Amino acid sequence: MAANESNPTLKMNNETTTCPVRPFAKFLPSIWGDRFLSFSFDKSELKALGKAIEEPKEDVRRSLNSHNIALMIHTSKTQASLQQFIYKKLMAANESNPTLKMNNETTTCPVRPFAKFLPSIWGDRFLSFSFDKSELKALGKAIEEPKEDVRRLILNTAMDPNEKLKLIYSVYRLGLTYLFAEEIDDQVDKIFKEVNMDDYAEPDLYTVSTNFQVFRLHGYKLSCDVFNKFKDYRSGQFMANVTTDNMRAILSFYESAQLRIRGEYILDEASEFSESQLKGVVDTLEEKLARKVKHALISPFHRGLQMVEARLYFSNYEEEFSMYNSLQNLANAHFRYLQLLQKEELHNMTKWGKDMEFHIITPYSRDRKPELYLWTLAMYMEPHYSQGRMVTSKIAQFVTVLDDTYDAYATIEELRLLTNAINRWDNSAMEQLPDNILPIYEVFRKEFTEFERLFIEGSTNRVDALKKAFQELARGYHQEAEWRHSGHIPSFQEYLKNGLSTSTYKVFSISSLMGMEENVSKEALSWYETHPKILEALQIIGRLHNDVSTFEFENERAQQQVTSVDAYMKTFGVPTNVAVDELKEMIENAWKDINEGCLKPTEVSMELLSPIVNLARMTDVVYKFTDNFTFPEKTIKEYITMLFISSIPM
């Protein structure tokens, strides 16, 4: 081929012969090679499988002939593998011809609120992960030496306070604070007690913004008045002097504004000002700085998924911590340690989901196991919460199945029976459930029994509280289904009261206790009963963010789901755009309440508050612009790839 391209005239048998010019195409070789030569076959097994098909095939044939499709689902173990086919038949029947002839009588096929969810983009990819325990152990040892070096840096009494706060800021951004919790709290407390507002008359905007973030992130309420010096006293506006040189300061100022609470109007202004300035110059910046600004405008780090934000900070902001080799080495080893541990957890979660046969029991439900694990990881990423992450990942799967059953599959009659069964939570409730709903209830009860066994040593009160929250969630979903069935749009107040439950975040907050000490859990359960403001703020963010990002999708479905947008429009007589803007303002105010709930003195420990803040962060990531959970092809796919697939540079 090379000869044909370069020299068509060749010497053959001592004679000059013109080589024919051929229309070659450079086709790629087979991607399979000889892979299929290695297959081995057992004729007797093939024959046995052929026989095994016959009996269930005839059962299916009889059921199809009678069009009694719904009752076929899960009637016997041998028919389970055919359920996805049956589901498609049922869905086609529901869409095209709800009236079917059954046993020579005209019967109306139940109308189901189907939603056409996309399949998982991952398949069984995470089942094939392999693990090396010795590597995890080696990485654990590799962390120790740089960790002690960083500890000494944090405790260094000779370091300038501003430099100390910048160091602590980098430790926080890299996700390492939990390794030095006591030391950092002592240092921040000491520096804060020595703060004098006059000290902030001279420092630049970057230093003031960084210090402000450190204090607020660790629960210390440094006054927002420190930013007054950056205003023009005549116009009352922030001084607009934006160049590439001080872009880092504007970016830090923007991040500071995300920590505001109610009544801090200067930070409301700061948010608008800095966002406007960043948007105005982002397209003129050099590549790396532009990348930082673009990401911050999409997801400020305070509202981002902390594991992802830590990785991005490590890659994009090395100039802020590269002077500390020990911190760089610690962060790198720590990332690799977490990735290995979390890949194992994701593998186990994926295997559990496959073993539970959700794809057979609930083929209509969203298959999002990696995305659910990511959600749980967002709540708490520290290694010692491993057991809590596994339990909460399972709860997240149950919540998804419950949500999709109420919202995208079951009839109203079936939902009334299921709600009653979940609230009774006993064996006798199983008798009333139809065959297509019964397996869901059985899975729920079986796994909750396993949770009770797992936490048998004085911790069953957590499981009881989790069960009650799960029952409350089912009642909330049922109420939404009744509204949908009757075509009723409730008042906004009525909707939001129910929506606090259907946000699912009471369930997840209680589930997070599974990874904590018993004394912490007792404190939390008592606190939850007081209906704390910060938990309600989280529930508002969860419910309203979800609705604002999905209401257009819901309105396109045959059986329209009522959302807060619909309820707000009806109650206040406003158009869609006004309702959406008002709900977004409520979300911003809820964020301010969350920020305030983390300022000292807090009602409970930060160990309890952190999962609440992190759930709000994950909600912002998933629902800020669209429904990235139902449609995870972009942001969530990128995050999962970054955390569990892409290697970490040494």
Side-chain angles (χ1 to χ4, degrees), residues 31-39:
I31 61 175
W32 304 108
D34 293 336
R35 176 170 184 166
F36 301 110
L37 288 175
S38 62
F39 280 177

Side-chain angles (χ1 to χ4, degrees), residues 136 337-345 373 383 386 389:
L136 190 67
Y337 179 87
L338 289 184
Q339 185 180 67
L340 200 61
L341 175 66
Q342 291 159 6
K343 284 170 70 172
E344 182 178 19
E345 292 175 0
Y373 174 74
S386 183
R389 279 193 293 274

Side-chain angles (χ1 to χ4, degrees), residues 394-416:
K394 293 178 181 181
I395 293 297
Q397 177 68 55
F398 297 159
V399 168
T400 302
V401 166
L402 196 69
D403 185 13
D404 292 342
T405 300
Y406 277 85
D407 188 37
Y409 174 69
T411 67
I412 193 63
E413 292 79 12
E414 290 167 345
L415 293 178
R416 288 165 183 162

Side-chain angles (χ1 to χ4, degrees), residues 545-564:
H545 243 324
N546 186 314
D547 287 352
V548 167
S549 70
T550 63
F551 78 93
E552 291 179 340
F553 171 76
E554 297 293 353
N555 287 343
E556 291 174 357
R557 293 173 54 189
Q559 293 191 31
Q560 183 176 333
Q561 180 75 17
V562 178
T563 69
S564 57

Side-chain angles (χ1 to χ4, degrees), residues 94-147:
N94 181 63
E95 291 182 343
S96 62
N97 185 13
T99 303
L100 304 175
K101 288 285 185 179
M102 296 183 181
N103 299 324
N104 298 320
E105 295 180 7
T106 301
T107 306
T108 301
C109 183
V111 178
R112 300 185 181 278
F114 286 120
K116 297 179 180 179
F117 297 128
L118 296 174
S120 171
I121 61 177
W122 305 106
D124 291 337
R125 174 169 191 159
F126 299 112
L127 283 175
S128 61
F129 279 161
S130 59
F131 310 98
D132 185 345
K133 294 289 187 182
S134 63
E135 183 181 357
L136 190 67
K137 188 175 181 180
L139 285 170
K141 288 183 178 179
I143 286 172
E144 290 307 313
E145 183 177 345
K147 184 173 77 171

Side-chain angles (χ1 to χ4, degrees), residues 276-293:
S276 174
Q277 297 295 317
L278 294 172
K279 286 181 176 178
V281 300
V282 64
D283 293 331
T284 68
L285 302 174
E286 58 88 13
E287 183 181 356
K288 188 170 185 179
L289 184 55
R291 188 164 62 244
K292 295 178 187 178
V293 172

Side-chain angles (χ1 to χ4, degrees), residues 397-444:
Q397 177 68 55
F398 297 159
V399 168
T400 302
V401 166
L402 196 69
D403 185 13
D404 292 342
T405 300
Y406 277 85
D407 188 37
Y409 174 69
T411 67
I412 193 63
E413 292 79 12
E414 290 167 345
L415 293 178
R416 288 165 183 162
L417 294 173
L418 178 59
T419 306
N420 180 56
I422 289 175
N423 280 283
R424 285 171 57 187
W425 207 266
D426 57 33
N427 289 330
S428 63
M430 298 168 63
E431 300 172 2
Q432 65 180 345
L433 293 175
D435 291 341
N436 57 326
I437 299 296
L438 176 60
I440 304 169
Y441 180 68
E442 289 178 323
V443 167
F444 291 162

Side-chain angles (χ1 to χ4, degrees), residues 67 163 448 503 613:
H67 292 95
E163 291 305 312
F448 269 86
S503 72
V613 179

